[in-house]
Amino acid sequence: MTQQQQNMSNTNTNTTTTTNNNNISVNEVFWSLFDKAEKKFSKIRDLPYYERNRYDTYFYKVFKVYTQLWKFQQENRQKLVESGLKRWEIGEIASRIAQLYYGQYLRTSDASYLSQSYIFYEAILSREYFKEGIFQDLNLVNKQLRFLARFLMVCLVLNRRELVHQLVNQLKLLVDECKRTFPVSKTSIFFVKFVFCHFDILVKANGLKLVSTKTIIGFGEFYIAIVDTDFKEWKLVVQEIVRFLKADTAFMNIRPSRYSVLLDPHPDALVTSVAKRNLKLRDAILSSYHKNEVKFSELTLDTFRMLQCLEWEPSGSFYQTSAKINQNGAQGPSRINFSQDMVDPTLPSNPRKAILYHPTVTYFTAVLATVCEELPPDGVLLIYLSGSGRSGRTNSPPTGAGTSINIPKPIEVNSTGCLMLGSRGNGGSNCIFPSDLIPFTRRPLFIVIDSDCSEAFKVIHGAEKVERAAILLSATNSILIASTDSSRHQNGSLFTIFLTAPLQAFLLLLGFSCAESEMDTYNNAEKLVSSSLNDWGSALAKLDTLDHVWAQILTDPFLRRLLLRFLFCRAVLALYKPSFSKEEFHPTCLPPMPESVPPTCPAAQTLILQIADMFGVADRFIFSEGIVLPGNTDRDTDSMSSS
């Protein structure tokens, strides 16, 4: 072994000596490393994201090669540039490394990988690797466009909204400039003229073979169509992200969606019940599909919100003032250490998440089986499914209330209820039936179904194989929001918003926006909701009648928070006038909460009365006699009990 190390050392020394003395050798070594890295990258790029450890070895091998390549080009930059290395080629390497890190984040949910991806992308932006000669090379334009789109996604997940908006503006300007610089009409005219003027020469150049005018012009039209289609597709990308940000920024930067130990109860301080075992959220499968839903790339608005909700917020990250960014993307001397800002070693690891975009049943089942197989003994798997359903009935929302959020068009079919995670034109390959989930109840599951056919999934309760599942089900009918401006409220599923941002959902239900709310009032209401839900959690944990399915997940901060927000959602919709006493508009949970914890228990009514009073909308709810603001009574409202 020592001899091998000595031989490798000698080889490295000889290589270094050779490359230092010969620019061509430096060039050869660089491109040899580059080709090796590209081949390994192409192999790992298409590997599935959902297997826990199987592909770690592949990642480290690819990363090792790219580390060598990056270091080599840094040490030999001058000679490589003299040999013809372009700046965009350096940027391409950095982009590959950033993609590698982001892909590993998707596989592991490890925030450090996301942080490193950000750092490399930010370096590309600030150093403008793809800018030189960009409008002389269509290939270079596409590289810059792809870079901006990928960096947008990373910034979106990291909640770097200032930079997101800057990148969107850059993307818009670049696409518009490309349309002007590479006009299809001029290209088309030039090509047709060229073909007709030089037809004889083209025939002779092809060895006197017969080449029809139709064939040549067809090839030219194909090329033109590709150029035009590319920019049309980028126009759609711009429209997607603009629509996404419009839907998700009504309450931006008020409170992080991720779990913050500065705002949410610290995991060590949670009051828990005496359960036979305490389970932790280790994995999550997230998938949603609605016709014309808001999305960016393959990340829908609903899955994005759930993704954020199941991550830890680095302490202080959300409130740290970001450095000023100039119009070219570079940051000034006040630039902060993004790596430290985005990674907090004091926090537990994030639960691993698999985001599935329009999966077939076969693929969904394969992912589910793999994750269940790898689930640790103390782990819970969260399954979040949001989509329109097929249940053989027609939903009819209450009239006169306003517009609604994500009301799918009813379809009457004679089939068992199922949830659609893809187009109805796929012959049912995207339909998830309740029976598809039952075989996997050999492991602890926390199931969230957000659909108009959610009631069909009640059959899972009592049919489990080994482990009883914890199930949260949305209402089968979508409640209408109070505003008459429907364009303001294409904000995804209201049920999902309640689970990820309960106060925002409360205000959206009533037709409010952040701009219409006084910030002091909103902040006070946010604190009230947070402290009250924490009190509810403590009260639940002390109940002897609480089903052990819920008791064993109260130790996990993510699942506990989802359950408490569900209870808040249930209480709001139970007391809201348009849905009062209408069960089809109320979400449900299985196993059911104890009878002593009804949706309209005094604690819930008092909290909702307080919030409604803050915003002057108490008259839109129906409260029981005797429910008054806490300042007007000495009654204890912290208890979740109805008595």
Side-chain angles (χ1 to χ4, degrees), residues 103-124:
Q104 193 65 359
Y105 162 74
L106 292 179
R107 290 185 177 90
T108 64
S109 296
D110 188 333
S112 64
Y113 292 125
L114 190 62
S115 167
Q116 290 298 319
S117 179
Y118 177 94
I119 290 170
F120 272 89
Y121 277 135
E122 195 273 337
I124 297 171

Side-chain angles (χ1 to χ4, degrees), residues 536 566-576 580 583 586-589 593-608 622-624 640-642:
W536 290 12
F566 167 84
L567 295 177
F568 176 76
C569 172
R570 186 181 69 160
V572 169
L573 295 178
L575 297 171
Y576 188 47
F580 185 78
E583 295 296 328
H586 301 171
T588 57
C589 66
M593 286 289 113
E595 292 183 1
S596 61
V597 188
T600 56
C601 64
Q605 291 200 57
T606 302
L607 171 60
I608 294 167
I622 299 176
F623 299 102
S624 301
M640 289 293 291
S641 175
S642 60

